[in-house]
Amino acid sequence: MLDTITAKLREAEMERALKQLRRQAQDTLSEVVADRLNNPDEAMWSGVMAGFDAANAEAEQQLRRRMDMAEVYGGEQRSKLQRALRSGVWEDMVRALKEEVADQMVLLKLRSKLEDRFRYDEAGLPRVWRPSDDIDAQFAQARSAAQALLPLFSRIDTSASSTLPQPVSAAVGTFFPPGFDVERSLVLISASRQRELGKRFGREADALYLEAKRAMVTTQNHVPVWVMVLLVLLGWNEAMTILFNPLYLVLTALIAGSAFVLHNLRLWGPAVRAVGGLVNVANDHVHELLVEAVNRTDPGRNRDAPAEGRSRRQARSEEIEMDPLGDSSKDLSVSRSSNSSHSISRSSSKSQLHT
């Protein structure tokens, strides 16, 4: 009974030790994998496998110390624990590698490689394309170098490992546990994914190439030499006139000096806005002068305007008089009837006096 409980406790302790050792090895391998795959070269897998060998050796050393502390002395049990640790460390490394070779990560690495070879020279300085440069050959070389990374990322190369047996399939049962599918874990990018990633990268590379071609065409837009010679020949008389005429010479010097100051102080924007404001003010002033001139030449329009104003004011006053409010309308009607009766009585009295 006591031996059974001890064996269970020992087994639980070894499981905790395996998990802890795998976490430590995973932290080390994640840094190594990220560093080597972000700077891909011919020695990429050599660096990755060297990191795996170092992390695995460190984990096995700590596992042996834990087994001695837990009094695990059985040869088969110790070998089983070591194979479990190795397979766990390997799976953690493969998981970190698959995260680094996801679609977006692979495209980012290929694009970075293309830009390093195409946009920068051997000294790491940005390229400035000139008409004499062979941009097509440079782009073809950079694109080939970037596309060569895709097969490199697709499969793990274990030939540089000093721990894994070669071929790696012979490691099953000795280095890895029996039944461990190590061949399947070597494939990171399948053939179909490689074709799809190649097409997507080709489209991005073409966009970069077209951008560089547009930039080179823009830099080529300069005035030809024969145009400058033609301008000198055709403008020789005008140039002599300006040079030997003091008024033209001073005016030209003022204009050139003003343009030089505006250009160096970057005041073209405020100057254009100020000129636009002056033009608007002058336009308004001229419009007012034209309106006044039209009014002077057509005085009838001015006479009709006051008459129309008076007629409108009279109409408004009549409307006010004809639209009394409230009881005041009754008072006005009573007053009007009384006034009419008084006028009738006066007229009758006058008629009697006349008779």
Side-chain angles (χ1 to χ4, degrees):
M1 183 67 180
L2 183 60
D3 294 338
T4 304
I5 295 174
T6 303
K8 289 183 179 180
L9 293 175
R10 186 181 294 113
E11 183 178 359
E13 178 64 23
M14 288 296 98
E15 289 180 357
R16 287 194 297 269
L18 287 176
K19 291 180 180 179
Q20 183 180 1
L21 295 175
R22 283 185 61 178
R23 284 195 299 269
Q24 294 175 0
Q26 183 179 4
D27 294 338
T28 304
L29 287 173
S30 298
E31 295 180 0
V32 173
V33 167
D35 179 64
R36 299 303 302 179
L37 267 70
N38 287 328
N39 299 282
D41 52 13
E42 296 179 355
M44 181 183 71
W45 289 118
S46 299
V48 173
M49 297 312 300
F52 170 76
D53 293 340
N56 184 69
E58 179 67 21
E60 286 190 11
Q61 183 179 0
Q62 294 184 14
L63 178 63
R64 286 193 292 268
R65 187 165 56 252
R66 293 286 186 90
M67 288 188 296
D68 293 339
M69 292 174 61
E71 298 180 354
V72 178
Y73 299 116
E76 182 62 26
Q77 190 175 3
R78 291 174 72 93
S79 299
K80 182 179 179 181
L81 290 173
Q82 288 178 351
R83 288 194 294 267
L85 177 62
R86 294 166 185 164
S87 63
V89 173
W90 177 265
E91 289 176 352
D92 294 337
M93 185 190 71
V94 172
R95 188 179 300 110
L97 288 170
K98 288 185 176 181
E99 290 178 357
E100 288 293 330
V101 296
D103 291 352
Q104 295 298 328
M105 298 295 291
V106 171
L107 291 175
L108 180 62
K109 292 176 175 61
L110 296 180
R111 186 167 58 249
S112 177
K113 184 68 173 180
L114 176 64
E115 291 180 353
D116 291 342
R117 293 290 299 272
F118 184 62
R119 287 186 171 179
Y120 300 92
D121 57 10
E122 290 76 7
L125 299 176
R127 294 181 186 270
V128 179
W129 298 107
R130 298 179 179 86
S132 59
D133 295 336
D134 191 0
I135 187 173
D136 297 335
Q138 293 288 340
F139 175 75
Q141 294 177 3
R143 183 173 180 175
S144 299
Q147 287 178 340
L149 296 178
L150 193 57
L152 185 64
F153 288 141
S154 62
R155 184 179 176 85
I156 302 174
D157 184 9
T158 61
S159 60
S161 176
S162 60
T163 304
L164 287 173
Q166 301 297 327
V168 71
S169 58
V172 179
T174 57
F175 190 84
F176 295 122
F180 186 75
D181 193 359
V182 64
E183 287 290 341
R184 185 176 181 179
S185 64
L186 295 176
V187 179
L188 300 177
I189 304 176
S190 62
S192 59
R193 277 188 64 201
Q194 288 187 47
R195 290 191 295 270
E196 181 64 25
L197 290 173
K199 292 179 182 179
R200 294 173 60 181
F201 172 69
R203 289 192 292 268
E204 294 184 3
D206 293 340
L208 180 63
Y209 173 74
L210 293 176
E211 181 183 353
K213 291 289 284 187
R214 291 194 199 98
M216 189 173 67
V217 170
T218 303
T219 56
Q220 292 179 0
N221 292 333
H222 60 277
V223 180
V225 178
W226 63 270
V227 174
M228 300 298 295
V229 174
L230 185 62
L231 288 175
V232 171
L233 292 177
L234 294 178
W236 183 261
N237 295 331
E238 289 76 7
M240 293 300 103
T241 302
I242 292 174
L243 289 176
F244 292 103
N245 191 320
L247 180 61
Y248 290 163
L249 183 60
V250 172
L251 183 61
T252 304
L254 289 175
I255 295 174
S258 301
F260 179 77
V261 172
L262 291 176
H263 180 73
N264 288 337
L265 297 180
R266 298 179 180 180
L267 295 176
W268 284 111
V272 170
R273 288 192 293 271
V275 172
L278 291 176
V279 170
N280 292 331
V281 172
N283 188 18
D284 296 339
H285 186 63
V286 170
H287 180 71
E288 292 177 359
L289 293 177
L290 291 176
V291 171
E292 291 179 0
V294 170
N295 291 334
R296 291 194 189 97
T297 57
D298 191 5
R301 182 180 297 178
N302 294 332
R303 289 195 300 270
D304 294 339
E308 291 178 359
R310 286 194 298 271
S311 62
R312 290 177 182 174
R313 287 195 296 271
Q314 186 176 0
R316 285 197 296 269
S317 63
E318 290 178 356
E319 289 177 0
I320 292 172
E321 291 177 357
M322 295 299 291
D323 190 16
L325 299 174
D327 295 335
S328 60
S329 61
K330 296 180 182 181
D331 297 336
L332 289 173
S333 61
V334 171
S335 62
R336 286 179 180 176
S337 61
S338 62
N339 292 334
S340 61
S341 62
H342 285 303
S343 60
I344 294 170
S345 61
R346 288 178 183 176
S347 60
S348 61
S349 60
K350 287 180 181 179
S351 61
Q352 289 176 3
L353 290 174
H354 180 70
T355 53

